[in-house]
Amino acid sequence: MDIKCYFVAGGAGFIGSNFVRHLMAKYPQAKVVVYDKLTYAGNVANLADVADDPRFRFVKGDICDRYLVDRGVRGADVIVNFAAETHVDRSILEPDAFIQTDIVGVHTLLEAARKYGVKRYVQISTDEVYGSIEDGHFSEQSSINPSSPYSASKAAGDLLVKSYWTTYRLPVVITRASNNYGPYQHPEKLIPLFVTNALEDKPLPMYGDGMQVRDWLYVDDHCRAIDLVIEKGEKGAIYNVGASCEKTNREVTHRILELLGKSESLIKHVADRPGHDRRYALTAEPLRQLGWAPLKPWEERMAEVCQWYSARRDWWEPLKSGDFEEYYRRQYPDLMAKAGR
Ligand code: NAD
Ligand code: DAU
């Protein structure tokens, strides 16, 4: 496809910023507009290495803002929507922003996509829309059964996107990925939280028995999958993105402690997440048929990730101060009680 300009909503977040780097390295002729509200999760530092590139433009804006979205999307060939409220625990504490961004924001982008006749609208979605699965795997045909306000709002967003294909023939694609990990992930999420806490010799708050299973996907593998479905994906289709790399939270935690040379006594079992999905597992046949596969094994990637966070305290230390400390106290009262705070 001849793509001159990508509009990347949420491009200052974890996956979005990695995707922008991927695009700019792979397509030297392409322009990239990042449109991002810069919530607590958005961070211009994630884009520092591309910020001065003449092909790159940053626009600060909310995807719910019709006027700004309209101006930003004009001239774009492709919209890729990463913008979302993304943390399950925060959706349990305060769901409002999730409904607004993950549903109303998606609708605002779809309207702009329809008005300007973009070549592709790509909705970055999640395996969490399928809910939990004890045995077997979800395919693209599985029904949705979300558990949290986060996953329910993402599922609603997906339904809207699908309806714009069915009704208006807007050339949409939906990707549903499993748990990502890699550089620039906000330290509220399991892997960066546990790695950075371990580096600081702070407790690692494990929910419940720690036997919940996630299918871990390295962020660059996810970015290559998104690029592939933009180029070769079928209009109106859903593509699961999963690496078939199932690990319990205990396994992930033990690996982190081993890689960092830290003691298992740092693990603290805390109250479980309400409505906690026990297991996510996906098949990704349509994507694999397009030629996609993860590039390196999990063991190797985990070592790289631990090294990255060890070397980039300058990046994550500021994110764990200020408002984050307030969130942390609210989210982990058991830890505070144990620490006598
Ligand atoms: P993130 O929380 O790191 O980044 C989200 C970005 O969206 C931030 O830059 C934030 O400022 C921006 N944003 C939030 N609300 C906005 C609004 N109203 N207007 C404009 N920008 C706004 O998230 P992430 O982990 O990079 O996830 C990106 C996308 O991928 C999300 O849609 C998420 O649902 C999906 N996803 C994430 C994972 C994962 O494991 N992280 C897995 C599957 C799917
Ligand atoms: O599956 C894809 C989803 O993965 C994305 O759609 C979400 O945006 C992303 O946040 C992620 O959701 P999870 O809830 O699976 O990720 P999180 O890192 O919050 O938690 C991973 C597992 O670790 C989960 O079983 C809960 C557990 N956990 C998490 C935290 C933050 C803990 O035991 N302790 C913690 O402190």
Side-chain angles (χ1 to χ4, degrees):
M1 205 189 308
D2 180 26
I3 303 170
K4 294 189 180 65
C5 181
Y6 294 84
F7 178 91
V8 183
F14 162 48
I15 309 172
S17 62
N18 280 288
F19 182 68
V20 167
R21 251 184 300 284
H22 167 91
L23 284 182
M24 298 196 68
K26 186 165 171 199
Y27 301 108
Q29 306 305 326
K31 286 188 186 146
V32 177
V33 177
V34 166
Y35 182 93
D36 198 296
K37 185 179 176 182
L38 296 181
T39 67
Y40 77 92
N43 187 352
V44 284
N46 297 1
L47 294 162
D49 47 1
V50 292
D52 294 331
D53 192 308
R55 298 169 298 150
F56 174 83
R57 190 159 70 92
F58 179 79
V59 179
K60 184 170 188 285
D62 189 328
I63 57 166
C64 301
D65 183 330
R66 280 182 176 236
Y67 174 74
L68 269 188
V69 165
D70 185 284
R71 281 185 46 182
V73 166
R74 203 183 303 153
D77 301 299
V78 171
I79 297 177
V80 190
N81 181 29
F82 294 92
E85 288 292 337
T86 61
H87 193 34
V88 173
D89 295 325
R90 289 187 194 255
S91 84
I92 295 167
L93 292 173
E94 284 179 27
D96 293 30
F98 289 75
I99 309 306
Q100 206 48 37
T101 293
D102 300 5
I103 306 175
V104 178
V106 171
H107 176 241
T108 310
L109 289 173
L110 286 167
E111 278 299 302
R114 190 159 80 94
K115 177 171 171 185
Y116 292 110
V118 297
K119 292 176 182 160
R120 280 288 183 285
Y121 174 94
V122 186
Q123 177 67 6
I124 307 302
S125 188
T126 167
D127 61 358
E128 293 202 19
V129 299
Y130 297 119
S132 190
I133 187 165
E134 286 286 327
D135 300 301
H137 297 81
F138 290 120
S139 79
E140 290 77 358
Q141 278 71 49
S142 301
S143 50
I144 51 176
N145 185 26
S147 308
S148 69
Y150 162 67
S151 50
S153 65
K154 289 295 290 185
D158 285 12
L159 292 177
L160 270 173
V161 173
K162 198 79 173 39
S163 80
Y164 271 60
W165 163 247
T166 309
T167 309
Y168 305 114
R169 283 293 181 255
L170 184 74
V172 306
V173 182
I174 297 170
T175 59
R176 289 180 177 159
S178 60
N179 284 62
N180 282 222
Y181 67 110
Y184 300 103
Q185 184 168 31
H186 194 284
E188 66 188 357
K189 306 282 165 55
L190 178 76
I191 289 181
L193 179 68
F194 280 21
V195 171
T196 59
N197 277 13
L199 286 168
E200 296 182 297
D201 291 310
K202 288 183 178 163
L204 314 188
M206 184 176 280
Y207 297 154
D209 62 4
M211 292 306 286
Q212 303 84 4
V213 173
R214 298 292 183 265
D215 172 359
W216 291 98
L217 173 68
Y218 188 66
V219 66
D220 283 357
D221 292 325
H222 188 188
C223 293
R224 286 186 302 103
I226 296 165
D227 184 12
L228 190 60
V229 302
I230 293 172
E231 291 294 327
K232 296 194 178 148
E234 199 184 315
K235 292 176 207 166
I238 295 167
Y239 289 88
N240 286 349
V241 191
S244 299
C245 175
E246 289 184 40
K247 306 280 172 205
T248 63
N249 293 338
R250 279 187 194 214
E251 284 175 280
V252 171
T253 307
H254 288 294
R255 185 77 188 124
I256 289 169
L257 292 171
E258 193 185 358
L259 282 162
L260 297 176
K262 298 287 182 175
S263 163
E264 292 187 2
S265 64
L266 285 178
I267 300 172
K268 298 286 178 260
H269 287 274
V270 298
D272 208 349
R273 174 185 278 177
H276 199 167
D277 285 334
R278 195 71 178 161
R279 175 172 172 261
Y280 299 139
L282 291 175
T283 56
E285 267 325 297
L287 181 68
R288 287 186 184 265
Q289 274 171 20
L290 294 180
W292 178 88
L295 286 184
K296 291 187 192 174
W298 183 78
E299 286 70 18
E300 214 174 305
R301 290 301 195 190
M302 278 301 289
E304 291 172 9
V305 165
C306 285
Q307 273 167 17
W308 191 87
Y309 286 92
S310 301
R312 292 301 308 270
R313 277 177 178 265
D314 65 303
W315 180 81
W316 57 261
E317 276 177 350
L319 300 178
K320 291 183 91 176
S321 63
D323 289 350
F324 186 78
E325 289 170 326
E326 175 54 33
Y327 159 75
Y328 204 75
R329 270 193 290 277
R330 237 179 123 189
Q331 178 58 29
Y332 301 104
D334 296 0
L335 286 188
M336 298 304 134
K338 276 176 190 151
R341 277 186 260 173

